[in-house]
Amino acid sequence: MTARVTRTQVGIIGAGPAGLLLGQLLARSGVDAVVLENRSREYVEARQRAGVLEHDVASLLRELGLADRMDTEGIEHGGIYLQFDGERHHIDFHDLAGRSVWVWAQTEVVKDLVAARLAAGLALEFEVSGTAVHDLTADEPRMTYRSADGEQRELVCDVIAGCDGFHGPSRAAVPAGLLTVSERVYPFAWLGVLADVAPSTDELIYAHHPDGFALHSVRTPEVSRLYVQVRPEEDIADWSDERIWAALQTRLGLPGWTLHEGPIREKGITPMRSFVAAPMRHGRLFLAGDAAHIVPPTGAKGLNLAAADVVVLAQALVAWLVDGDERLADSYSDTCLRRVWRATHFSWWMTSMLHTPPGQDPFDARLQLAQLRHVTSSRPAATDLALRYTGQPLP
Ligand SMILES: Cc1cc2nc3c(=O)[nH]c(=O)nc-3n(C[C@H](O)[C@H](O)[C@H](O)COP(=O)(O)OP(=O)(O)OC[C@H]3O[C@@H](n4cnc5c(N)ncnc54)[C@H](O)[C@@H]3O)c2cc1C
């Protein structure tokens, strides 16, 4: 079948946070892009994932005119609680770092980005299939795909942005041997639930417990997001709502504090891994977000790293495609990877400090408690956590 051929400056694979945000940043500088997504609009707008925006990522959305709903419906959090050994301690981000985070779900960020792109008449195609990339080291790389109505298409580009998440085709298109992969698979997973009950806390509670980690997160004033550490091979069918609430009550419970229960709307198990592929560029293909790196969710960094990548990428592509200056594109991978590794370290550190590995050595358990006590009693240590949680400044 002959493909219909069209042209754009930047072909973006993936309408997740990375691809959509990149599209907005490029449009602001007059760079043309087409975003291709293999799922439906309804699917990407409903997919439950991250929920915490770093200080500067929230500011970026404001700067792009994408924060009206976040500012009215989202919740600013000025800290988190760390709980261990029957005590709950507050880490005050405002006081320690002069910064905050925003509790505003990834699904809502995606809804606003999709709406803004479509309202501006910018190209965004859902339900495409067979997306493939070609000629990545040539001057005009190409993407081929089948549109939702079954037409075979070819998109000729100046540059391709692989924003297609961990399982997308971009990273896999880099020839074998050119990418170095660094990986750590953790011996636990998170069982997460979305519950129709008002949060029992004003800010997130990260709880260390001998039975395993638990997190009380927040979605809206009416909806709670809660997690318990489970084994990676755990079957969700073995976790009735009663069993989940019982585990949460045990791990989060404190005398004088009540965890309110409610109907569980959604539940799922997410394995935890750290993964970094380098470099994040091959010829005219640039990887961004989960396509290049994954962090365990304990540090709330996944979505924020995706945003930071595309801020760097947008600057680089505007300099290259508008001003003919390729230097930022050449340094894209190194610039991003410095931040990625700092976030990878922070996410690993939070994960290691708070989770109880199977068959944990009592010595390691004492070390975790010593670390938690240090972070909650030393102002420099707490400040370091506050600065890292609220995020490095965006470039
Ligand atoms: C189940 C789960 C729970 C998570 N929870 C948290 C959390 O609590 N806190 C946190 O900070 N982070 C969390 N994360 C991580 C965070 O959500 C990701 O880091 C973030 O989604 C990265 O954005 P992205 O745009 O790079 O990738 P994605 O959001 O994965 O977007 C990639 C897009 O590409 C599309 N795509 C894939 N293949 C193709 C193709 N062939 N053609 C066209 N399009 C394609 C996908 O459908 C998707 O829409 C979670 C991730 C998962 C998977």
Side-chain angles (χ1 to χ4, degrees):
M1 196 195 297
T2 317
R4 182 154 76 84
V5 181
T6 52
R7 209 190 183 291
T8 188
Q9 289 178 288
V10 183
I12 301 176
I13 314 181
L20 291 166
L21 196 52
L22 177 63
Q24 284 306 116
L25 291 163
L26 292 174
R28 169 168 89 156
S29 297
V31 173
D32 181 49
V34 173
V35 181
L36 300 181
E37 167 60 49
N38 63 347
R39 301 285 193 168
S40 67
R41 178 177 182 182
E42 296 68 33
Y43 185 92
V44 300
E45 290 186 349
R47 191 166 38 194
Q48 285 301 327
R49 287 191 170 174
V52 177
L53 302 185
E54 287 178 356
H55 189 94
D56 278 14
V57 173
S59 303
L60 174 69
L61 293 182
R62 247 174 239 124
E63 194 188 314
L64 289 170
L66 290 164
D68 290 353
R69 288 200 313 123
M70 181 189 85
D71 282 331
T72 49
E73 299 168 37
I75 312 167
E76 184 178 15
H77 279 196
I80 56 169
Y81 296 99
L82 287 180
Q83 182 171 320
F84 57 95
D85 220 6
E87 302 167 16
R88 187 174 293 168
H89 299 261
H90 190 236
I91 305 286
D92 189 329
F93 296 160
H94 279 307
D95 173 43
L96 295 163
R99 291 160 81 78
S100 63
V101 292
W102 277 78
V103 169
W104 184 236
Q106 180 169 328
T107 46
E108 306 304 325
V109 174
V110 166
K111 276 183 209 164
D112 287 346
L113 283 164
V114 168
R117 186 158 189 88
L118 295 178
L122 299 169
L124 167 56
E125 293 188 44
F126 289 103
E127 297 180 66
V128 306
S129 54
T131 322
V133 295
H134 314 271
D135 304 336
L136 298 176
T137 52
D139 285 348
E140 291 198 322
R142 296 175 298 120
M143 309 205 303
T144 51
Y145 65 100
R146 192 179 294 273
S147 65
D149 57 11
E151 187 182 39
Q152 189 62 35
R153 296 197 183 154
E154 178 177 315
L155 190 59
V156 180
C157 314
D158 291 324
V159 158
I160 294 175
C163 301
D164 45 354
F166 189 64
H167 302 287
S170 304
R171 193 180 66 252
V174 178
L178 295 186
L179 283 184
T180 302
V181 167
S182 309
E183 191 169 20
R184 168 75 43 94
V185 177
Y186 299 89
F188 30 76
W190 277 14
L191 188 163
V193 303
L194 205 58
D196 288 314
V197 58
S200 306
T201 179
D202 56 342
E203 289 175 347
L204 273 61
I205 306 169
Y206 287 80
H208 175 276
H209 191 277
D211 288 0
F213 169 74
L215 170 62
H216 189 334
S217 185
V218 171
R219 273 292 185 264
T220 70
E222 299 83 31
V223 180
S224 299
R225 182 85 167 135
L226 298 129
Y227 299 91
V228 284
Q229 175 193 334
V230 296
R231 296 173 307 139
E233 60 277 15
E234 203 78 40
D235 184 351
I236 192 75
D238 292 335
W239 285 80
S240 64
D241 293 2
E242 295 68 34
R243 184 177 175 198
I244 293 170
W245 282 117
L248 287 164
Q249 292 288 1
T250 303
R251 300 182 195 187
L252 290 166
L254 276 186
W257 178 80
T258 307
L259 173 65
H260 300 291
E261 300 184 10
I264 290 180
R265 194 200 299 177
E266 220 181 287
K267 55 183 166 185
I269 293 179
T270 311
M272 292 174 69
R273 73 165 84 207
S274 301
F275 175 98
V276 182
M280 289 168 61
R281 175 185 181 184
H282 170 61
R284 287 183 177 240
L285 170 70
F286 293 80
L287 302 176
D290 278 18
H293 42 74
I294 298 278
V295 285
T298 328
K301 289 286 170 249
L303 166 61
N304 294 297
L305 276 181
D309 284 353
V310 296
V311 168
V312 178
L313 184 55
Q315 287 170 358
L317 295 184
V318 170
W320 191 9
L321 302 178
V322 177
D323 304 325
D325 182 347
E326 201 181 336
R327 282 175 298 175
L328 289 179
D330 287 341
S331 57
Y332 166 73
S333 180
D334 288 345
T335 304
C336 288
L337 286 169
R338 273 194 289 277
R339 184 186 192 97
V340 166
W341 274 109
R342 283 181 69 179
T344 299
H345 178 265
F346 178 66
S347 306
W348 164 86
W349 176 73
M350 288 281 283
T351 302
S352 310
M353 178 169 71
L354 286 161
H355 290 71
T356 305
Q360 187 182 39
D361 182 333
F363 183 82
D364 290 336
R366 298 307 310 180
L367 290 180
Q368 284 181 321
L369 293 176
Q371 176 73 74
L372 282 160
R373 200 160 290 290
H374 175 61
V375 167
T376 52
S377 58
S378 151
R379 190 173 172 91
T383 303
D384 185 55
L385 188 153
L387 286 168
R388 295 167 85 187
Y389 194 99
T390 54
Q392 303 164 55
L394 281 179

